[in-house]
Every structure is written in C-alpha cells, then in structure tokens.
Amino acid sequence: MRPCAQTRMIEAGFMMAFQPQESSPREEDIVELHDRRPDQPRLPDPTETQDRIERYRNLRLQSLQWNSLLEKVESHRHSVRASVYDRVRKEYEEKKAALKQETDSLKLMLQREFRQFLDCRGRLLEEVDRGQENLEEMGFRIRVGEFGEEELQREIDTLGKLQDELLGNLKQVEEILRFFAESGLPEATDQPEGPGGNGGRDVEAMMPDDNPGVDPRGKTGAEGGEPQTQPHGYVTGYLVATSGEHRGERIPLISSNISLGSSPWMDIRLSDPEVNHLHARVLYKERKHYLENLDPMGRSLVNGIRTDLVELKDGDVVQLGKVTFQVGYDTLGSG
C-alpha cells in the first residue's frame, strides 16, 4: 500500500532534521571573533637567567675590587723589594684576567637572553593591544545592535582571562628586564620603551609597575582598606567609594596614571561582577585627572553619562559596573 501524502511529508521532515546544517552567518561571525583571540607568546625561563645576572653582577664587583688592589700595589711599589712587587702584581693581574674572561663569556650569553626577553616583551605588548582591540570591537558590535550582550558574554569572559594571563606574563618580563638594567649590562640600560614607540596605544600604562604611586596589587577589594601610596606620586584628591562592596574606601588620585578593573594586575582591583578585567583608567595630564573607559561594554559613567574620556571635577560621580565613587579634591585634609 502506498503511503499517504501526510506520511511522506512527515518522513521528509524527519530526514531533513538529520541532514547537516550549515552554520548561520551569526554563528560564523562569532567564530570569526573567536579566531582573532590574542596568542600567548612563549616565555623564556627566567630562573636561570636571574642566576646568571646575579653572577654577572658579582663578577663585575670582584673585577672592581681587583682594579682597586692593583692601584694600591702601584702606589706602594717602592715600599717593598721589586721581586715582591712583581710577584703580587702578577698574581693580581692573573686573577683579574680570569675574571674578565668569565665576565665576557657570561656577558655574551646575557646579551642574547636580553634580546630574547626584549622581543618577548614586544610580542606580549602587541598581543595585549590586540586583545584589547578585540574587546572594544565586541563592545562596539553590541552597542550598535548586531549582537546581544548575552551572545558574546562567554567570548568576552574568555578573552578577559587571556588578557589577565598576558598581563601577568608581561609583568614577569618587565621584572627581568629591570633586573637586566640593574646588572649594568650596557644594552639593558639603553632599552627602548616598546616596539615602535609602544605600537600606538599606551598598553604599558595598564601595568602596575608603570604607576609607582599606587600599590600594584590593588589593596582595595578582597583585602579592603585604602590603597597604599608610594613616595613617587603625590596625592591631589580621592575617589571615595559610595556604594558596592568598596563603600567607604578611598582611592588616592596621584600624579600618574591609575588602572582599575577586576584583573589582579590592575593598580586598583575592584571585586564586582560587572567590572571588566580592564575597565577604566584615570589619566593624569597637565595637573588634571581624566577618566578613560576601557570596558568594551561602555560601563564607565560620569554623572550618569557614558563616556570614553572626560575630565574629572570635584563632586563628579563615577560609576564602574555597580561601584560608584565621588571625586573629591577638597578632602586632602580630612582623616
């Protein structure tokens, strides 16, 4: 018996349900954004490098000591027999020559490693900048209505975690490069500030060590209390938290830039679920403070208005996620 038309339609629909479906343009767009995630450059092992740097510094100090001894040998040469003077001078010169040979060999090795770390820093800066650009693009696409926030939230969270890892590795590399500079290695003392003038965007300002005026681990948030200031930046005012978990805490406005976000590598860490990893930055320029939005969702408000960059004035209300602050330039004398 031939199947009826309704049965054939049901069978056709059943077969179609198991046919491979092409991804929608919307899914392809999200995959394309996923494919543009930043890469994680491979870090050289810093432990052995630090040991070699320390050895190089010690060798240089020993070399200076033998130079000083040789100078004293010359100044006292007439106080002893010539044979004694010759024997002591020869011994000192041999020890100095042996030190120089070891120092020169170690110096060549450290010069190669220094270039590796310098190259790694350049690649890390580029990847951090690329990741931040991707976050900004996602936020922009959400704001213009191409995607809903929930559609990209997982990708934004994943990318934020990658940014945390990149910033953590960048901090390690910066510490090694400073260690190089302190060693007296000539190349290290003249190191550039970044690839091509830092590649345009001021990514390094996101790093805590570029802001010596605030404790780099952000002593607000889980630890509580007021951030500890360092002697390099003088306090010109405060951001006083008026809501959220940080209510009552004060962030000093200092004479340098301050980064704010949920990442542990921010200058000020804000433990709020709606605060992005790299949420905002307070810029200091020509004795004025400005708030710069770094959140791709644009959740940085001043007096209720979303902003990309605005000067902060006394009494302004700043909102980052659900955390609000009031700007105070007249609270310097208060306890």
Side-chain angles (χ1 to χ4, degrees):
M1 183 174 67
R2 297 177 61 188
C4 66
Q6 183 178 5
T7 302
R8 287 197 299 271
M9 289 178 64
I10 293 173
E11 290 176 348
F14 182 79
M15 293 301 293
M16 287 182 63
F18 286 90
Q19 294 296 319
Q21 300 292 319
E22 295 183 0
S23 59
S24 67
R26 195 173 195 77
E27 292 172 341
E28 291 175 356
D29 289 341
I30 295 178
V31 170
E32 182 182 351
L33 290 172
H34 173 89
D35 291 341
R36 292 209 299 271
R37 287 178 181 173
D39 297 323
Q40 182 69 268
R42 185 172 178 271
L43 287 178
D45 182 11
T47 306
E48 293 185 359
T49 299
Q50 286 180 320
D51 292 340
R52 280 191 283 272
I53 291 173
E54 190 62 36
R55 175 62 180 161
Y56 178 74
R57 293 172 66 178
N58 290 334
L59 288 173
R60 291 182 72 240
L61 288 174
Q62 292 177 42
S63 181
L64 291 173
Q65 290 171 355
W66 286 114
N67 282 337
S68 176
L69 287 173
L70 281 168
E71 290 176 0
K72 291 177 180 178
V73 165
E74 289 300 321
S75 64
H76 292 85
R77 64 180 299 177
H78 299 296
S79 64
V80 296
R81 296 180 184 185
S83 59
V84 174
Y85 161 76
D86 290 338
R87 186 164 55 250
V88 173
R89 185 190 66 177
K90 182 180 179 182
E91 178 188 335
Y92 287 2
E93 286 179 343
E94 287 175 352
K95 290 183 177 179
K96 179 184 174 183
L99 276 173
K100 185 178 186 304
Q101 184 177 359
E102 184 180 357
T103 303
D104 289 345
S105 175
L106 196 55
K107 179 181 177 181
L108 289 174
M109 186 182 299
L110 287 174
Q111 285 173 335
R112 289 194 297 269
E113 292 181 355
F114 172 73
R115 287 190 289 269
Q116 290 175 357
F117 277 99
L118 201 61
D119 178 66
C120 186
R121 181 180 71 168
R123 287 184 285 118
L124 281 168
L125 285 169
E126 290 172 358
E127 292 304 322
V128 169
D129 191 38
R130 188 153 71 96
Q132 182 63 20
E133 183 176 344
N134 288 349
L135 283 170
E136 291 176 5
E137 180 179 338
M138 290 180 198
F140 181 72
R141 289 177 183 273
I142 290 171
R143 288 197 296 275
V144 300
E146 179 182 355
F147 295 102
E149 184 175 343
E150 64 284 352
E151 291 181 277
L152 292 182
Q153 191 59 55
R154 178 181 296 180
E155 185 65 24
I156 289 172
D157 290 343
T158 301
L159 188 53
K161 292 177 182 177
L162 287 174
Q163 290 291 86
D164 280 354
E165 294 177 9
L166 288 168
L167 288 169
N169 289 336
L170 183 56
K171 183 176 184 292
Q172 290 182 33
V173 171
E174 292 288 358
E175 289 174 351
I176 291 292
L177 290 176
R178 278 193 292 273
F179 207 47
F180 267 110
E182 293 170 0
S183 72
L185 194 70
E187 290 81 355
T189 56
D190 299 326
Q191 59 178 291
E193 293 188 356
N198 209 11
R201 188 172 179 83
D202 186 11
V203 181
E204 285 186 293
M206 299 177 185
M207 292 303 298
D209 290 306
D210 289 329
N211 183 359
V214 174
D215 179 13
R217 294 310 300 247
K219 300 301 183 184
T220 62
E223 294 85 359
E226 185 176 319
Q228 300 297 311
T229 57
Q230 306 297 324
H232 296 85
Y234 60 86
V235 178
T236 61
Y238 289 94
L239 286 177
V240 182
T242 58
S243 70
E245 294 183 16
H246 303 274
R247 183 182 179 88
E249 296 172 6
R250 300 193 305 170
I251 298 175
L253 295 173
I254 58 175
S255 56
S256 56
N257 298 339
I258 307 169
S259 55
L260 302 97
S262 61
S263 167
W265 306 110
M266 294 295 96
D267 294 325
I268 302 299
R269 184 180 183 184
L270 300 175
S271 54
D272 182 280
E274 293 193 15
V275 170
N276 193 32
H277 298 266
L278 311 172
H279 199 102
R281 185 165 44 155
V282 176
L283 304 176
Y284 183 77
K285 185 177 181 181
E286 296 178 353
R287 298 187 178 183
K288 294 180 180 179
H289 291 95
Y290 299 83
L291 183 75
E292 179 186 23
N293 174 60
L294 297 173
D295 175 38
M297 313 297 291
R299 292 169 296 187
S300 300
L301 291 77
V302 176
N303 299 326
I305 301 173
R306 291 191 177 191
T307 180
D308 290 326
L309 183 68
V310 66
E311 180 186 349
L312 294 177
K313 298 181 179 179
D314 188 56
D316 281 350
V317 175
V318 175
Q319 181 177 345
L320 306 177
K322 290 186 176 179
V323 184
T324 58
F325 302 91
Q326 186 164 19
V327 180
Y329 292 113
D330 56 353
T331 58
L332 296 181
S334 62

